[in-house]
Amino acid sequence: MSLPSRRGALKLTAGLTLAGAFALAGCGRGDDTAAATASAKPVDDSPATGTVTLWAAQGDADVLDKVIKPFKAANPDVTVKVTLIPNGEYYTKLQSAIAAGKGPDLAQFFPESQSQFLDPAILRPVPDGLVDKGSFFESLWAAGVTGGVAYTVPWYAYTYALVYRADLAKKAGVSAPAKWDETVPFLKALQGAGAAHGLGADIGWDIFNGQDVAMYAWQAGGSLLSADGKWTLDTPAMVDAFQYNASFFTSGTADTGGPTFLDAQPYFVSGKTAMMITGPWVVGQLDAAAKKDGWTAAHVATAQLPAGASGSNSFSAGGSWGVLAGSGNADASWKLVRYLAKPSTQVAQYKAYSSLPAVISAWDDSAIAGQPLLDAFLTQLKNTRAFPQVDTWQQVATRLGKEMEAVAKGTETAAKAAANVQAYADSLGTGTGTGTK
């Protein structure tokens, strides 16, 4: 499971928003509201028929044809045409296709970056009774809801937790940190046990570092938006978040010079670093990085994120599905979405690509429950929040990441960084989104 395939599409924030795209196409956002609302009627259990055009980003969707074979067998009169698009082009191509009225019936989205699509002129509301919203991790479902209407259905899930060198922790006689103030001492202990640096972090990974600082702000008791939808970034909690991240670097337990993203796992395996704050895909990749089967089981442990003053919140992310407002075969598209949301299908997706289920009960399957290094991620997924469901979140997250880097390098104070990002966010506003997270 590769990180670029999972996160690469999030870099597609270029300035084109869906509102602008529809304006260019001469289509107002409200034009399709009545038709889209009508599509929320229940979907029956009759076989799916006709053709469903499906677009998805390369990565987790690479195995879709294999995973949906049982669906096609049970629905012999349906044809599913899957188009896989490189991550670096996915949202841009999807936006352009929607604006031109040439979008697919069904499209993949990313819960952490889909807010600009949550509009009845773009997506159809999820039909009543299609799925049980309570079967998903709460924040993943919430990421597809705006104005009380759900527009997407979660497909796979991920979040961040600690991945660390258990062998070095054992040698040092320390346990994983449970609180912020235990983190730097833990990292120093790992260094004392032989690691060059305790933490491996890519300080230049702007938009993703912005997501990290948002996560730390939640842990410190902050929020990103007020109840009335205003940015709340110049706060004591945000200052604490910047300072907490900077403490890794100012203490010497992390290095602003590296590793870069692509070097993270080789550094970890070699002992140049001994902990990562990262997603579950890493667990399945470390044996390959070590070039030795069984290395991970003998050397690695995972743990929930250390808690700040307000707990150990992480963010929810992954993949989701939405049916476009202009779909010519919404009925069959929703039936496919319903199939993809079944626990057994999500287990099949895990077996095919290691995509972790968004349906909580699927984690009980022995294929997943028998993987002890995933336990921390399951625990963390139950303690997550959705990023703001507003059009400008991606730009704000990128600016947060840049300010985070400046504070870590000591070229800016945390208070100044918080003020800077507040001013920038205020200049952008929130667009048309209504989410308050």
Side-chain angles (χ1 to χ4, degrees), residues 370-404:
Q371 305 295 322
L373 293 179
L374 296 180
D375 289 348
F377 292 98
L378 174 59
T379 299
Q380 194 68 65
L381 276 165
K382 295 177 179 178
N383 187 17
T384 54
R385 295 175 68 170
F387 289 124
Q389 295 146 282
V390 297
D391 293 350
T392 55
W393 164 241
Q394 295 289 290
Q395 294 110 299
V396 171
T398 300
R399 181 59 180 264
L400 275 169
K402 291 179 178 178
E403 298 291 343
M404 188 179 184

PDB file of all heavy atoms in Angstrom, residues 370-404:
ATOM      1  N   GLY A 370      -6.541 -10.360  13.388  1.00  0.00           N
ATOM      2  CA  GLY A 370      -5.342 -11.132  13.682  1.00  0.00           C
ATOM      3  C   GLY A 370      -4.051 -10.379  13.436  1.00  0.00           C
ATOM      4  O   GLY A 370      -2.967 -10.964  13.527  1.00  0.00           O
ATOM      5  N   GLN A 371      -4.145  -9.082  13.130  1.00  0.00           N
ATOM      6  CA  GLN A 371      -2.969  -8.250  12.888  1.00  0.00           C
ATOM      7  C   GLN A 371      -2.781  -7.300  14.073  1.00  0.00           C
ATOM      8  O   GLN A 371      -3.346  -6.211  14.085  1.00  0.00           O
ATOM      9  CB  GLN A 371      -3.131  -7.455  11.589  1.00  0.00           C
ATOM     10  CG  GLN A 371      -3.437  -8.295  10.362  1.00  0.00           C
ATOM     11  CD  GLN A 371      -2.287  -9.231  10.014  1.00  0.00           C
ATOM     12  OE1 GLN A 371      -1.125  -8.875  10.136  1.00  0.00           O
ATOM     13  NE2 GLN A 371      -2.624 -10.442   9.596  1.00  0.00           N
ATOM     14  N   PRO A 372      -2.017  -7.683  15.083  1.00  0.00           N
ATOM     15  CA  PRO A 372      -1.944  -6.877  16.308  1.00  0.00           C
ATOM     16  C   PRO A 372      -1.426  -5.462  16.104  1.00  0.00           C
ATOM     17  O   PRO A 372      -1.785  -4.562  16.870  1.00  0.00           O
ATOM     18  CB  PRO A 372      -1.002  -7.681  17.213  1.00  0.00           C
ATOM     19  CG  PRO A 372      -0.235  -8.580  16.283  1.00  0.00           C
ATOM     20  CD  PRO A 372      -1.184  -8.904  15.179  1.00  0.00           C
ATOM     21  N   LEU A 373      -0.614  -5.244  15.088  1.00  0.00           N
ATOM     22  CA  LEU A 373      -0.097  -3.895  14.876  1.00  0.00           C
ATOM     23  C   LEU A 373      -1.163  -2.927  14.363  1.00  0.00           C
ATOM     24  O   LEU A 373      -0.945  -1.718  14.346  1.00  0.00           O
ATOM     25  CB  LEU A 373       1.087  -3.923  13.906  1.00  0.00           C
ATOM     26  CG  LEU A 373       2.351  -4.627  14.425  1.00  0.00           C
ATOM     27  CD1 LEU A 373       3.438  -4.608  13.367  1.00  0.00           C
ATOM     28  CD2 LEU A 373       2.847  -3.970  15.707  1.00  0.00           C
ATOM     29  N   LEU A 374      -2.324  -3.455  13.981  1.00  0.00           N
ATOM     30  CA  LEU A 374      -3.420  -2.590  13.529  1.00  0.00           C
ATOM     31  C   LEU A 374      -4.316  -2.147  14.680  1.00  0.00           C
ATOM     32  O   LEU A 374      -5.159  -1.260  14.507  1.00  0.00           O
ATOM     33  CB  LEU A 374      -4.263  -3.309  12.470  1.00  0.00           C
ATOM     34  CG  LEU A 374      -3.557  -3.651  11.156  1.00  0.00           C
ATOM     35  CD1 LEU A 374      -4.516  -4.362  10.208  1.00  0.00           C
ATOM     36  CD2 LEU A 374      -2.983  -2.396  10.492  1.00  0.00           C
ATOM     37  N   ASP A 375      -4.153  -2.766  15.857  1.00  0.00           N
ATOM     38  CA  ASP A 375      -5.042  -2.446  16.984  1.00  0.00           C
ATOM     39  C   ASP A 375      -5.023  -0.962  17.328  1.00  0.00           C
ATOM     40  O   ASP A 375      -6.060  -0.366  17.633  1.00  0.00           O
ATOM     41  CB  ASP A 375      -4.651  -3.266  18.217  1.00  0.00           C
ATOM     42  CG  ASP A 375      -4.996  -4.740  18.073  1.00  0.00           C
ATOM     43  OD1 ASP A 375      -5.736  -5.080  17.135  1.00  0.00           O
ATOM     44  OD2 ASP A 375      -4.517  -5.540  18.901  1.00  0.00           O
ATOM     45  N   ALA A 376      -3.844  -0.359  17.317  1.00  0.00           N
ATOM     46  CA  ALA A 376      -3.747   1.060  17.678  1.00  0.00           C
ATOM     47  C   ALA A 376      -4.501   1.931  16.686  1.00  0.00           C
ATOM     48  O   ALA A 376      -5.089   2.956  17.067  1.00  0.00           O
ATOM     49  CB  ALA A 376      -2.289   1.491  17.748  1.00  0.00           C
ATOM     50  N   PHE A 377      -4.518   1.526  15.427  1.00  0.00           N
ATOM     51  CA  PHE A 377      -5.219   2.313  14.417  1.00  0.00           C
ATOM     52  C   PHE A 377      -6.729   2.184  14.589  1.00  0.00           C
ATOM     53  O   PHE A 377      -7.470   3.156  14.391  1.00  0.00           O
ATOM     54  CB  PHE A 377      -4.781   1.896  13.019  1.00  0.00           C
ATOM     55  CG  PHE A 377      -3.355   2.258  12.721  1.00  0.00           C
ATOM     56  CD1 PHE A 377      -2.342   1.318  12.846  1.00  0.00           C
ATOM     57  CD2 PHE A 377      -3.020   3.547  12.345  1.00  0.00           C
ATOM     58  CE1 PHE A 377      -1.019   1.663  12.598  1.00  0.00           C
ATOM     59  CE2 PHE A 377      -1.705   3.897  12.089  1.00  0.00           C
ATOM     60  CZ  PHE A 377      -0.705   2.953  12.219  1.00  0.00           C
ATOM     61  N   LEU A 378      -7.208   0.992  14.967  1.00  0.00           N
ATOM     62  CA  LEU A 378      -8.631   0.828  15.240  1.00  0.00           C
ATOM     63  C   LEU A 378      -9.035   1.694  16.426  1.00  0.00           C
ATOM     64  O   LEU A 378     -10.052   2.409  16.383  1.00  0.00           O
ATOM     65  CB  LEU A 378      -8.945  -0.635  15.532  1.00  0.00           C
ATOM     66  CG  LEU A 378     -10.388  -0.922  15.969  1.00  0.00           C
ATOM     67  CD1 LEU A 378     -11.384  -0.470  14.915  1.00  0.00           C
ATOM     68  CD2 LEU A 378     -10.556  -2.417  16.257  1.00  0.00           C
ATOM     69  N   THR A 379      -8.240   1.657  17.488  1.00  0.00           N
ATOM     70  CA  THR A 379      -8.521   2.491  18.652  1.00  0.00           C
ATOM     71  C   THR A 379      -8.525   3.963  18.268  1.00  0.00           C
ATOM     72  O   THR A 379      -9.410   4.738  18.673  1.00  0.00           O
ATOM     73  CB  THR A 379      -7.467   2.250  19.757  1.00  0.00           C
ATOM     74  OG1 THR A 379      -7.513   0.884  20.150  1.00  0.00           O
ATOM     75  CG2 THR A 379      -7.731   3.131  20.965  1.00  0.00           C
ATOM     76  N   GLN A 380      -7.554   4.359  17.450  1.00  0.00           N
ATOM     77  CA  GLN A 380      -7.452   5.768  17.063  1.00  0.00           C
ATOM     78  C   GLN A 380      -8.598   6.185  16.145  1.00  0.00           C
ATOM     79  O   GLN A 380      -9.104   7.305  16.249  1.00  0.00           O
ATOM     80  CB  GLN A 380      -6.110   6.018  16.379  1.00  0.00           C
ATOM     81  CG  GLN A 380      -5.759   7.482  16.246  1.00  0.00           C
ATOM     82  CD  GLN A 380      -5.469   8.141  17.584  1.00  0.00           C
ATOM     83  OE1 GLN A 380      -4.510   7.795  18.258  1.00  0.00           O
ATOM     84  NE2 GLN A 380      -6.298   9.092  17.971  1.00  0.00           N
ATOM     85  N   LEU A 381      -9.035   5.299  15.260  1.00  0.00           N
ATOM     86  CA  LEU A 381     -10.132   5.628  14.360  1.00  0.00           C
ATOM     87  C   LEU A 381     -11.428   5.904  15.116  1.00  0.00           C
ATOM     88  O   LEU A 381     -12.312   6.608  14.617  1.00  0.00           O
ATOM     89  CB  LEU A 381     -10.350   4.502  13.345  1.00  0.00           C
ATOM     90  CG  LEU A 381      -9.448   4.548  12.109  1.00  0.00           C
ATOM     91  CD1 LEU A 381      -9.472   3.219  11.371  1.00  0.00           C
ATOM     92  CD2 LEU A 381      -9.886   5.683  11.179  1.00  0.00           C
ATOM     93  N   LYS A 382     -11.536   5.363  16.306  1.00  0.00           N
ATOM     94  CA  LYS A 382     -12.707   5.628  17.131  1.00  0.00           C
ATOM     95  C   LYS A 382     -12.587   6.961  17.863  1.00  0.00           C
ATOM     96  O   LYS A 382     -13.506   7.360  18.582  1.00  0.00           O
ATOM     97  CB  LYS A 382     -12.911   4.488  18.125  1.00  0.00           C
ATOM     98  CG  LYS A 382     -13.256   3.156  17.456  1.00  0.00           C
ATOM     99  CD  LYS A 382     -13.375   2.031  18.464  1.00  0.00           C
ATOM    100  CE  LYS A 382     -13.743   0.721  17.784  1.00  0.00           C
ATOM    101  NZ  LYS A 382     -13.820  -0.413  18.739  1.00  0.00           N
ATOM    102  N   ASN A 383     -11.460   7.613  17.689  1.00  0.00           N
ATOM    103  CA  ASN A 383     -11.220   8.906  18.330  1.00  0.00           C
ATOM    104  C   ASN A 383     -10.674   9.882  17.293  1.00  0.00           C
ATOM    105  O   ASN A 383      -9.548  10.335  17.370  1.00  0.00           O
ATOM    106  CB  ASN A 383     -10.233   8.733  19.490  1.00  0.00           C
ATOM    107  CG  ASN A 383     -10.061   9.995  20.306  1.00  0.00           C
ATOM    108  OD1 ASN A 383     -10.878  10.912  20.239  1.00  0.00           O
ATOM    109  ND2 ASN A 383      -8.979  10.068  21.065  1.00  0.00           N
ATOM    110  N   THR A 384     -11.487  10.148  16.297  1.00  0.00           N
ATOM    111  CA  THR A 384     -11.069  11.009  15.184  1.00  0.00           C
ATOM    112  C   THR A 384     -12.096  12.102  14.944  1.00  0.00           C
ATOM    113  O   THR A 384     -13.248  12.011  15.372  1.00  0.00           O
ATOM    114  CB  THR A 384     -10.892  10.206  13.882  1.00  0.00           C
ATOM    115  OG1 THR A 384     -12.102   9.477  13.620  1.00  0.00           O
ATOM    116  CG2 THR A 384      -9.729   9.250  13.968  1.00  0.00           C
ATOM    117  N   ARG A 385     -11.656  13.126  14.232  1.00  0.00           N
ATOM    118  CA  ARG A 385     -12.540  14.203  13.816  1.00  0.00           C
ATOM    119  C   ARG A 385     -12.365  14.440  12.319  1.00  0.00           C
ATOM    120  O   ARG A 385     -11.307  14.133  11.757  1.00  0.00           O
ATOM    121  CB  ARG A 385     -12.217  15.487  14.595  1.00  0.00           C
ATOM    122  CG  ARG A 385     -12.483  15.358  16.074  1.00  0.00           C
ATOM    123  CD  ARG A 385     -12.050  16.580  16.857  1.00  0.00           C
ATOM    124  NE  ARG A 385     -12.871  17.750  16.555  1.00  0.00           N
ATOM    125  CZ  ARG A 385     -12.806  18.884  17.245  1.00  0.00           C
ATOM    126  NH1 ARG A 385     -11.953  19.008  18.253  1.00  0.00           N
ATOM    127  NH2 ARG A 385     -13.573  19.901  16.925  1.00  0.00           N
ATOM    128  N   ALA A 386     -13.394  14.967  11.713  1.00  0.00           N
ATOM    129  CA  ALA A 386     -13.325  15.303  10.291  1.00  0.00           C
ATOM    130  C   ALA A 386     -12.766  16.709  10.121  1.00  0.00           C
ATOM    131  O   ALA A 386     -13.012  17.587  10.943  1.00  0.00           O
ATOM    132  CB  ALA A 386     -14.718  15.221   9.670  1.00  0.00           C
ATOM    133  N   PHE A 387     -12.004  16.918   9.061  1.00  0.00           N
ATOM    134  CA  PHE A 387     -11.522  18.254   8.747  1.00  0.00           C
ATOM    135  C   PHE A 387     -12.697  19.142   8.328  1.00  0.00           C
ATOM    136  O   PHE A 387     -13.769  18.644   7.960  1.00  0.00           O
ATOM    137  CB  PHE A 387     -10.485  18.200   7.632  1.00  0.00           C
ATOM    138  CG  PHE A 387      -9.171  17.610   8.051  1.00  0.00           C
ATOM    139  CD1 PHE A 387      -8.632  16.519   7.375  1.00  0.00           C
ATOM    140  CD2 PHE A 387      -8.468  18.134   9.121  1.00  0.00           C
ATOM    141  CE1 PHE A 387      -7.421  15.969   7.765  1.00  0.00           C
ATOM    142  CE2 PHE A 387      -7.254  17.590   9.512  1.00  0.00           C
ATOM    143  CZ  PHE A 387      -6.730  16.508   8.840  1.00  0.00           C
ATOM    144  N   PRO A 388     -12.512  20.454   8.375  1.00  0.00           N
ATOM    145  CA  PRO A 388     -13.613  21.357   8.021  1.00  0.00           C
ATOM    146  C   PRO A 388     -14.189  21.081   6.632  1.00  0.00           C
ATOM    147  O   PRO A 388     -13.442  20.909   5.668  1.00  0.00           O
ATOM    148  CB  PRO A 388     -12.952  22.744   8.070  1.00  0.00           C
ATOM    149  CG  PRO A 388     -11.853  22.587   9.074  1.00  0.00           C
ATOM    150  CD  PRO A 388     -11.327  21.203   8.828  1.00  0.00           C
ATOM    151  N   GLN A 389     -15.495  21.050   6.556  1.00  0.00           N
ATOM    152  CA  GLN A 389     -16.186  20.788   5.288  1.00  0.00           C
ATOM    153  C   GLN A 389     -16.456  22.101   4.574  1.00  0.00           C
ATOM    154  O   GLN A 389     -17.605  22.481   4.327  1.00  0.00           O
ATOM    155  CB  GLN A 389     -17.466  20.012   5.571  1.00  0.00           C
ATOM    156  CG  GLN A 389     -17.187  18.629   6.133  1.00  0.00           C
ATOM    157  CD  GLN A 389     -18.251  18.211   7.130  1.00  0.00           C
ATOM    158  OE1 GLN A 389     -18.259  18.647   8.270  1.00  0.00           O
ATOM    159  NE2 GLN A 389     -19.152  17.352   6.704  1.00  0.00           N
ATOM    160  N   VAL A 390     -15.373  22.785   4.266  1.00  0.00           N
ATOM    161  CA  VAL A 390     -15.462  24.074   3.581  1.00  0.00           C
ATOM    162  C   VAL A 390     -14.514  24.067   2.389  1.00  0.00           C
ATOM    163  O   VAL A 390     -13.505  23.358   2.385  1.00  0.00           O
ATOM    164  CB  VAL A 390     -15.122  25.251   4.526  1.00  0.00           C
ATOM    165  CG1 VAL A 390     -16.130  25.336   5.668  1.00  0.00           C
ATOM    166  CG2 VAL A 390     -13.714  25.133   5.085  1.00  0.00           C
ATOM    167  N   ASP A 391     -14.836  24.879   1.392  1.00  0.00           N
ATOM    168  CA  ASP A 391     -14.109  24.840   0.128  1.00  0.00           C
ATOM    169  C   ASP A 391     -12.631  25.199   0.254  1.00  0.00           C
ATOM    170  O   ASP A 391     -11.806  24.735  -0.535  1.00  0.00           O
ATOM    171  CB  ASP A 391     -14.761  25.796  -0.878  1.00  0.00           C
ATOM    172  CG  ASP A 391     -16.152  25.347  -1.304  1.00  0.00           C
ATOM    173  OD1 ASP A 391     -16.545  24.207  -0.965  1.00  0.00           O
ATOM    174  OD2 ASP A 391     -16.845  26.128  -1.976  1.00  0.00           O
ATOM    175  N   THR A 392     -12.284  26.030   1.217  1.00  0.00           N
ATOM    176  CA  THR A 392     -10.924  26.557   1.282  1.00  0.00           C
ATOM    177  C   THR A 392     -10.024  25.808   2.258  1.00  0.00           C
ATOM    178  O   THR A 392      -8.891  26.235   2.495  1.00  0.00           O
ATOM    179  CB  THR A 392     -10.951  28.040   1.679  1.00  0.00           C
ATOM    180  OG1 THR A 392     -11.674  28.189   2.917  1.00  0.00           O
ATOM    181  CG2 THR A 392     -11.629  28.880   0.606  1.00  0.00           C
ATOM    182  N   TRP A 393     -10.503  24.681   2.799  1.00  0.00           N
ATOM    183  CA  TRP A 393      -9.696  23.975   3.788  1.00  0.00           C
ATOM    184  C   TRP A 393      -8.325  23.574   3.240  1.00  0.00           C
ATOM    185  O   TRP A 393      -7.312  23.666   3.914  1.00  0.00           O
ATOM    186  CB  TRP A 393     -10.414  22.739   4.315  1.00  0.00           C
ATOM    187  CG  TRP A 393      -9.491  21.794   5.038  1.00  0.00           C
ATOM    188  CD1 TRP A 393      -9.205  20.516   4.716  1.00  0.00           C
ATOM    189  CD2 TRP A 393      -8.689  22.083   6.210  1.00  0.00           C
ATOM    190  NE1 TRP A 393      -8.289  19.972   5.580  1.00  0.00           N
ATOM    191  CE2 TRP A 393      -7.953  20.926   6.515  1.00  0.00           C
ATOM    192  CE3 TRP A 393      -8.516  23.213   7.000  1.00  0.00           C
ATOM    193  CZ2 TRP A 393      -7.061  20.859   7.584  1.00  0.00           C
ATOM    194  CZ3 TRP A 393      -7.628  23.147   8.075  1.00  0.00           C
ATOM    195  CH2 TRP A 393      -6.926  21.981   8.358  1.00  0.00           C
ATOM    196  N   GLN A 394      -8.253  23.125   2.005  1.00  0.00           N
ATOM    197  CA  GLN A 394      -6.980  22.657   1.465  1.00  0.00           C
ATOM    198  C   GLN A 394      -5.943  23.778   1.399  1.00  0.00           C
ATOM    199  O   GLN A 394      -4.771  23.571   1.719  1.00  0.00           O
ATOM    200  CB  GLN A 394      -7.180  22.037   0.082  1.00  0.00           C
ATOM    201  CG  GLN A 394      -8.027  20.776   0.085  1.00  0.00           C
ATOM    202  CD  GLN A 394      -7.309  19.597   0.702  1.00  0.00           C
ATOM    203  OE1 GLN A 394      -6.366  19.057   0.136  1.00  0.00           O
ATOM    204  NE2 GLN A 394      -7.749  19.182   1.870  1.00  0.00           N
ATOM    205  N   GLN A 395      -6.372  24.976   1.009  1.00  0.00           N
ATOM    206  CA  GLN A 395      -5.437  26.102   0.995  1.00  0.00           C
ATOM    207  C   GLN A 395      -4.994  26.470   2.409  1.00  0.00           C
ATOM    208  O   GLN A 395      -3.827  26.763   2.655  1.00  0.00           O
ATOM    209  CB  GLN A 395      -6.072  27.327   0.321  1.00  0.00           C
ATOM    210  CG  GLN A 395      -6.341  27.132  -1.173  1.00  0.00           C
ATOM    211  CD  GLN A 395      -7.814  27.041  -1.464  1.00  0.00           C
ATOM    212  OE1 GLN A 395      -8.509  26.149  -0.977  1.00  0.00           O
ATOM    213  NE2 GLN A 395      -8.304  27.973  -2.280  1.00  0.00           N
ATOM    214  N   VAL A 396      -5.936  26.441   3.330  1.00  0.00           N
ATOM    215  CA  VAL A 396      -5.600  26.767   4.719  1.00  0.00           C
ATOM    216  C   VAL A 396      -4.657  25.718   5.293  1.00  0.00           C
ATOM    217  O   VAL A 396      -3.690  26.045   5.994  1.00  0.00           O
ATOM    218  CB  VAL A 396      -6.874  26.894   5.571  1.00  0.00           C
ATOM    219  CG1 VAL A 396      -6.537  27.022   7.054  1.00  0.00           C
ATOM    220  CG2 VAL A 396      -7.693  28.099   5.118  1.00  0.00           C
ATOM    221  N   ALA A 397      -4.898  24.445   4.991  1.00  0.00           N
ATOM    222  CA  ALA A 397      -4.023  23.381   5.485  1.00  0.00           C
ATOM    223  C   ALA A 397      -2.608  23.543   4.944  1.00  0.00           C
ATOM    224  O   ALA A 397      -1.620  23.321   5.659  1.00  0.00           O
ATOM    225  CB  ALA A 397      -4.587  22.014   5.101  1.00  0.00           C
ATOM    226  N   THR A 398      -2.501  23.931   3.678  1.00  0.00           N
ATOM    227  CA  THR A 398      -1.177  24.150   3.093  1.00  0.00           C
ATOM    228  C   THR A 398      -0.449  25.282   3.808  1.00  0.00           C
ATOM    229  O   THR A 398       0.745  25.185   4.111  1.00  0.00           O
ATOM    230  CB  THR A 398      -1.301  24.464   1.590  1.00  0.00           C
ATOM    231  OG1 THR A 398      -1.924  23.361   0.933  1.00  0.00           O
ATOM    232  CG2 THR A 398       0.059  24.715   0.969  1.00  0.00           C
ATOM    233  N   ARG A 399      -1.166  26.359   4.103  1.00  0.00           N
ATOM    234  CA  ARG A 399      -0.537  27.478   4.813  1.00  0.00           C
ATOM    235  C   ARG A 399      -0.160  27.072   6.243  1.00  0.00           C
ATOM    236  O   ARG A 399       0.909  27.453   6.741  1.00  0.00           O
ATOM    237  CB  ARG A 399      -1.483  28.673   4.830  1.00  0.00           C
ATOM    238  CG  ARG A 399      -0.895  29.920   5.531  1.00  0.00           C
ATOM    239  CD  ARG A 399       0.419  30.383   4.857  1.00  0.00           C
ATOM    240  NE  ARG A 399       0.963  31.554   5.510  1.00  0.00           N
ATOM    241  CZ  ARG A 399       0.754  32.813   5.096  1.00  0.00           C
ATOM    242  NH1 ARG A 399       0.013  33.030   4.016  1.00  0.00           N
ATOM    243  NH2 ARG A 399       1.289  33.826   5.737  1.00  0.00           N
ATOM    244  N   LEU A 400      -0.995  26.279   6.893  1.00  0.00           N
ATOM    245  CA  LEU A 400      -0.658  25.766   8.217  1.00  0.00           C
ATOM    246  C   LEU A 400       0.653  24.992   8.173  1.00  0.00           C
ATOM    247  O   LEU A 400       1.504  25.133   9.059  1.00  0.00           O
ATOM    248  CB  LEU A 400      -1.771  24.853   8.736  1.00  0.00           C
ATOM    249  CG  LEU A 400      -2.956  25.493   9.443  1.00  0.00           C
ATOM    250  CD1 LEU A 400      -4.065  24.454   9.628  1.00  0.00           C
ATOM    251  CD2 LEU A 400      -2.541  26.055  10.798  1.00  0.00           C
ATOM    252  N   GLY A 401       0.818  24.170   7.135  1.00  0.00           N
ATOM    253  CA  GLY A 401       2.043  23.395   7.012  1.00  0.00           C
ATOM    254  C   GLY A 401       3.273  24.264   6.827  1.00  0.00           C
ATOM    255  O   GLY A 401       4.338  23.982   7.397  1.00  0.00           O
ATOM    256  N   LYS A 402       3.145  25.321   6.043  1.00  0.00           N
ATOM    257  CA  LYS A 402       4.279  26.219   5.829  1.00  0.00           C
ATOM    258  C   LYS A 402       4.645  26.956   7.112  1.00  0.00           C
ATOM    259  O   LYS A 402       5.830  27.131   7.442  1.00  0.00           O
ATOM    260  CB  LYS A 402       3.950  27.208   4.712  1.00  0.00           C
ATOM    261  CG  LYS A 402       3.858  26.552   3.333  1.00  0.00           C
ATOM    262  CD  LYS A 402       3.505  27.562   2.249  1.00  0.00           C
ATOM    263  CE  LYS A 402       3.465  26.886   0.881  1.00  0.00           C
ATOM    264  NZ  LYS A 402       3.079  27.814  -0.205  1.00  0.00           N
ATOM    265  N   GLU A 403       3.619  27.385   7.860  1.00  0.00           N
ATOM    266  CA  GLU A 403       3.888  28.065   9.125  1.00  0.00           C
ATOM    267  C   GLU A 403       4.481  27.088  10.144  1.00  0.00           C
ATOM    268  O   GLU A 403       5.368  27.451  10.933  1.00  0.00           O
ATOM    269  CB  GLU A 403       2.594  28.669   9.676  1.00  0.00           C
ATOM    270  CG  GLU A 403       1.957  29.736   8.792  1.00  0.00           C
ATOM    271  CD  GLU A 403       2.764  31.023   8.716  1.00  0.00           C
ATOM    272  OE1 GLU A 403       3.648  31.240   9.580  1.00  0.00           O
ATOM    273  OE2 GLU A 403       2.533  31.825   7.770  1.00  0.00           O
ATOM    274  N   MET A 404       4.022  25.860  10.116  1.00  0.00           N
ATOM    275  CA  MET A 404       4.543  24.820  11.006  1.00  0.00           C
ATOM    276  C   MET A 404       6.035  24.601  10.763  1.00  0.00           C
ATOM    277  O   MET A 404       6.821  24.457  11.705  1.00  0.00           O
ATOM    278  CB  MET A 404       3.769  23.523  10.746  1.00  0.00           C
ATOM    279  CG  MET A 404       4.022  22.376  11.694  1.00  0.00           C
ATOM    280  SD  MET A 404       2.956  20.997  11.175  1.00  0.00           S
ATOM    281  CE  MET A 404       3.303  19.802  12.460  1.00  0.00           C
TER     282      MET A 404
END
